[in-house]
Amino acid sequence: MSGCNVVIFYFSRGGQTRLLADAIAEGVQATGAEALLRTVETDSDAASMRDLLLDKNELINCDALIMGSPTRFGHMSAHLQKFWETTSREWLNGDLIDKPAAVFTTTSSLHGGQESTLLNMALPLLHHGMLLTGIPYEQPSLHHDNAGGSPYGAGALNASSNLTLSANERASAVALGQRVATIAQQLKSTKDA
Ligand SMILES: Cc1cc2nc3c(=O)[nH]c(=O)nc-3n(C[C@H](O)[C@H](O)[C@H](O)COP(=O)(O)O)c2cc1C
């Protein structure tokens, strides 16, 4: 369905989280929806700076949002947290209520906090009234994963800093993008009917 856009809003200093963002975008585009890769204001050497900064109007007008961050001491990066602390007006207006959303993260160690980061990234989105979507276990890659990816969202392990995704990490990320875009399209067609 045309006319449906999904914002993929992420921060990536070294490029690993950007890889996941790209795989998620591929999943979004496979449904016919538009993927808008957007980043957050930060120092200029961050890998995510290849993309445009997220404009508040894009946030307000998106049909769905997928947010990604490197894990930083078990949380999303401060850049993204700071951004959400500038969204009081959007929260007061209810601009994001009932839009589908999902989250993704990367870590450098296997038990370094992917799940805690995914869960705490969901919090501002829930405060904004968004509809959080994960990855159901019908997705085969979740059953074979030994690095990144969980029911809470997409993930990747960056143990050797070699900027690659395993086949399962990639498959889960593509599936998450497809899932969020499909749900966004279904909701949009109901609203437009
Ligand atoms: C300040 C800081 C804190 C970090 N905290 C964690 C952590 O809690 N757990 C972990 O496994 N990796 C941690 N890392 C490593 C990054 O999460 C990991 O390298 C990530 O893949 C980087 O993503 P990027 O290449 O998109 O920037 C941390 C890195 C930095 C710079």
Side-chain angles (χ1 to χ4, degrees):
M1 180 179 133
S2 60
C4 188
N5 76 82
V6 178
V7 167
I8 300 169
F9 178 46
Y10 74 103
F11 167 69
S12 178
R13 177 180 296 283
Q16 186 73 14
T17 312
R18 189 176 84 181
L19 284 183
L20 268 187
D22 286 341
I24 288 167
E26 205 181 302
V28 168
Q29 286 157 352
T31 70
E34 186 184 1
L36 297 178
L37 281 155
R38 295 291 185 265
T39 190
V40 65
E41 190 150 24
T42 177
D43 20 10
S44 57
D45 67 343
S48 48
M49 291 310 285
R50 95 172 164 183
D51 286 315
L52 296 173
L53 295 180
L54 179 62
D55 182 290
K56 286 275 177 67
N57 286 324
E58 291 173 324
L59 181 67
I60 292 165
N61 294 319
C62 74
D63 295 303
L65 176 75
I66 308 179
M67 176 167 68
S69 174
T71 287
R72 296 211 152 173
F73 303 124
H75 286 258
M76 74 174 110
S77 88
H79 308 94
L80 290 165
Q81 178 65 30
K82 189 173 163 198
F83 173 85
W84 286 106
E85 290 178 23
T86 70
T87 59
S88 300
R89 180 184 300 174
E90 290 72 21
W91 174 74
L92 279 170
N93 289 342
D95 289 326
L96 302 182
I97 289 177
D98 289 349
K99 294 182 193 237
V103 290
F104 60 102
T105 191
T106 65
T107 56
S108 61
S109 56
L110 186 54
H111 302 295
Q114 280 182 34
E115 292 180 356
S116 64
T117 302
L118 292 171
L119 291 172
N120 67 51
M121 273 199 292
L123 299 181
L125 308 183
L126 288 167
H127 275 263
H128 274 278
M130 303 195 85
L131 307 174
L132 262 292
T133 306
I135 306 172
Y137 268 102
E138 67 175 12
Q139 172 60 32
S141 52
L142 274 196
H143 292 272
H144 304 295
D145 164 62
N146 57 9
S150 83
Y152 311 118
L157 178 65
N158 182 24
S160 52
S161 301
N162 60 357
L163 297 185
T164 53
L165 297 178
S166 73
N168 287 322
E169 289 170 342
R170 202 183 123 68
S172 294
V174 172
L176 183 65
Q178 270 176 334
R179 181 171 164 79
V180 172
T182 301
I183 292 168
Q185 287 168 340
Q186 287 166 352
L187 285 174
K188 195 175 168 76
S189 62
T190 309
K191 268 192 232 152
D192 292 349

